[in-house]
Amino acid sequence: MLRMVDLIEKKKQGKSHDEAEIRFIVRGYTAGELPDYQMSAWLMAVWFRGLSTAETAWLTMAMAHSGKIVDLSEIDGIKVDKHSTGGVGDTTTLIITPLVAAAGVKVAKMSGRGLGFTGGTIDKLEAIPGFRTSLATGEFTAQLQRVGMAVMGQTDDLAPADGKIYALRDVSATVDSIPLIAASVMSKKIAAGADKILLDVKYGSGAFMKTVAAATELARVMVGIGTDAGRETTAVISSMEEPLGTTIGNSLEVAEAIEVLSGKGDSRLRDYCIFLAAKMLLLAKPLLSMTAATDTIRGLLDSGAGLAKFGEFVEAQGGDRRIVQETHLLRQASRKMELRAAHEGYIVRMDSAEIGRAAILLGAGRAKKGDSIDLAAGIKLHRRCGEFVAAGDVLATLFFNEMIEPARAGLLIEKSIHIGKKKIPAGALIAGTVASSGWHEGSER
Ligand code: URA
Ligand code: CA
């Protein structure tokens, strides 16, 4: 008979588990038979000792099969999904999924809530009045067929093991582990049923992986798992050294996504979304060239077809479609405060995780599991890395409601935006891609 204490000891000594042992751990913890203290001890042993490729794949499959696997085979065409490993101001899902759906490719997306200092798509969508993020599996597939896209949160039916393990990792300092992130992400993607998966693997100050090398290793592990599970997977490695968009916070990020879909907004965010959407389109239509895919996506953005698809999607999930034209109908904060530069210079660095934490202090995220959040709260950044600021220029606007004392958040943001004398050009956003065919440097195919 297997005993958890022996398995913790085994991993602590750096030895390998077999498949039966991994399944015992996942099944026992999901069923509530293994206590949190033993599971967290095992997770910490994994954090220090790692998991082999085989162990990581077994863990992923055990977690995916802890619930149902959505069957999308009745729905015509190739179904694609997308997942970011988490960041700050990362509002790409809201922009690229309607663009890809407008190109005629079905997007079946399972998303999460904010974790740690990072934001989550499910929270953002709930900033839209009336929007429903918990869909029954049947509703999800029916909407996918009819509208071409659907986004739902995790349920007790789909990858429940990840729901429980993630919550424990969040409070036991075991989030930033390559095998644990890989199993968490890929178990959800496999359960959600799409044929092909695009991963956006983040590195830098606002990501769980701090270097390109670590993010690339994580990407390789996930691409390998997806490929072995028969789901073609491509990963883009991209920078989270500074927040991706200019806003952090749920209503603010929905408004920013609508701005980009309207042909306006931040050009760095827009260009990156066009790139990711084109990559997603290529997964479904491998005979296209990257240039042709990019032209298609840009055309759908310029014509307003992406925005129209977003409106259709919002309405299908019960949301108020008018927000697409009238973003003031999204929840608005009652108070704001401007943060100004103390001296002139160039922005040389931002600590994105700290900016994410400042947004949480304003109410935009959870300090602990189950906390309620203020969907209107957040931050707008007025400057990017590499830009010049004069003394007194507004660096950021803080949005919040009654009962919040913004001083601590303001201080945190001030400390996170580093102003220097010399201009340092902002680094490249895209480091490369990992596909089953290997590593490709830069933003080419
Ligand atoms: N996103 C996930 O879904 N899981 C992780 O472990 C990290 C980011
Ligand atoms: Ca079919």
Side-chain angles (χ1 to χ4, degrees):
M1 239 245 317
L2 292 171
R3 292 196 319 159
M4 189 61 177
V5 62
D6 301 328
L7 301 183
I8 298 167
E9 178 66 29
K10 195 170 180 182
K11 189 44 70 183
K12 186 183 86 183
Q13 303 293 347
K15 299 191 181 117
S16 292
H17 293 304
D18 61 28
E19 186 172 7
E21 291 170 347
I22 298 266
R23 284 163 72 163
F24 169 84
I25 294 168
V26 172
R27 197 181 303 138
Y29 187 62
T30 311
E33 287 155 15
L34 295 179
D36 283 354
Y37 56 83
Q38 285 192 315
M39 191 61 179
S40 30
W42 182 77
L43 291 167
M44 190 56 85
V46 169
W47 192 94
F48 278 102
R49 293 298 198 168
L51 293 178
S52 70
T53 306
E55 288 175 300
T56 309
W58 292 328
L59 179 63
T60 307
M61 294 319 277
M63 287 167 67
H65 286 279
S66 65
K68 283 194 242 167
I69 306 277
V70 180
D71 179 3
L72 298 176
S73 62
E74 295 292 299
I75 295 170
D76 309 325
I78 290 170
K79 280 73 65 181
V80 293
D81 192 353
K82 173 261 165 190
H83 202 84
S84 159
T85 57
V88 178
D90 180 356
T91 189
T92 53
T93 288
L94 300 181
I95 300 167
I96 71 176
T97 52
L99 286 169
V100 174
V105 173
K106 302 235 165 50
V107 184
K109 166 104 178 86
M110 193 200 258
S111 290
R113 295 192 182 277
L115 303 162
F117 55 83
T118 69
T121 299
I122 294 300
D123 292 333
K124 294 173 202 179
L125 287 169
E126 287 182 353
I128 300 171
F131 197 97
R132 288 172 50 234
T133 55
S134 53
L135 300 180
T137 311
E139 285 179 292
F140 181 72
T141 51
Q143 183 182 319
L144 188 60
Q145 182 71 281
R146 188 164 47 85
V147 180
M149 66 177 289
V151 180
M152 67 183 283
Q154 241 173 288
T155 65
D156 292 343
D157 290 355
L158 297 181
D162 180 55
K164 290 195 74 175
I165 296 171
Y166 200 98
L168 190 61
R169 287 167 57 214
D170 203 19
V171 292
S172 60
T174 50
V175 171
D176 53 344
S177 149
I178 288 177
L180 296 180
I181 294 175
S184 164
V185 169
M186 294 310 288
S187 64
K188 284 192 286 262
K189 299 295 97 177
I190 289 169
D195 306 302
K196 308 213 175 183
I197 300 157
L198 180 71
L199 300 172
D200 188 7
V201 182
K202 303 293 192 185
Y203 75 88
S205 68
F208 297 123
M209 299 289 109
K210 298 302 174 195
T211 62
V212 174
T216 304
E217 172 61 19
L218 173 60
R220 284 206 169 102
V221 173
M222 292 194 289
V223 167
I225 293 170
T227 308
D228 288 347
R231 316 291 182 92
E232 188 185 338
T233 305
T234 296
V236 175
I237 317 290
S238 71
S239 169
M240 208 18 103
E241 288 291 6
E242 66 180 310
L244 181 60
T246 66
T247 58
I248 300 103
N250 299 289
S251 279
L252 293 166
E253 290 187 46
V254 173
E256 184 164 32
I258 291 170
E259 217 184 330
V260 171
L261 284 169
S262 308
K264 302 182 291 245
D266 182 72
S267 62
R268 190 173 121 114
L269 174 62
R270 180 179 57 235
D271 291 347
Y272 186 56
C273 286
I274 291 171
F275 173 80
L276 278 186
K279 282 275 176 204
M280 238 172 132
L281 185 55
L282 281 182
L283 279 172
K285 302 190 176 185
L287 296 180
L288 280 183
S289 66
M290 186 63 185
T291 313
T294 306
D295 288 347
T296 300
I297 295 296
R298 196 168 274 135
L300 293 165
L301 183 68
D302 293 345
S303 71
L307 185 66
K309 183 56 77 180
F310 183 72
E312 201 186 325
F313 153 70
V314 165
E315 188 165 35
Q317 288 193 218
D320 184 346
R321 188 182 187 152
R322 291 173 304 163
I323 56 119
V324 166
Q325 256 73 44
E326 301 169 59
T327 50
H328 63 87
L329 294 174
L330 293 162
R331 258 168 262 255
Q332 303 287 317
S334 58
R335 298 165 67 197
K336 57 181 166 175
M337 185 180 97
E338 286 179 339
L339 197 76
R340 291 171 185 278
H343 56 89
E344 70 162 40
Y346 292 92
I347 300 190
V348 291
R349 188 161 58 82
M350 288 195 198
D351 189 336
S352 305
E354 294 293 295
I355 295 173
R357 288 190 185 97
I360 292 173
L361 287 178
L362 295 172
R366 298 173 188 80
K368 56 183 191 319
K369 226 185 112 200
D371 279 358
S372 68
I373 59 176
D374 180 353
L375 295 163
I379 301 162
K380 164 126 186 107
L381 297 171
H382 299 277
R383 288 288 195 278
R384 284 210 169 278
C385 283
E387 291 181 0
F388 178 78
V389 286
D393 278 359
V394 180
L395 289 175
T397 307
L398 282 56
F399 297 87
F400 51 98
N401 279 309
E402 290 74 30
M403 312 295 293
I404 292 279
E405 190 34 73
R408 263 179 69 211
L411 209 62
L412 204 56
I413 300 170
E414 212 175 316
K415 282 204 306 210
S416 313
I417 302 179
H418 299 263
I419 298 176
K421 288 203 167 53
K422 272 221 292 283
K423 182 177 167 106
I424 299 177
L429 184 54
I430 301 164
T433 53
V434 177
S436 34
S437 57
W439 157 260
H440 305 270
E441 182 144 349
S443 54
E444 292 315 304
R445 239 190 123 162

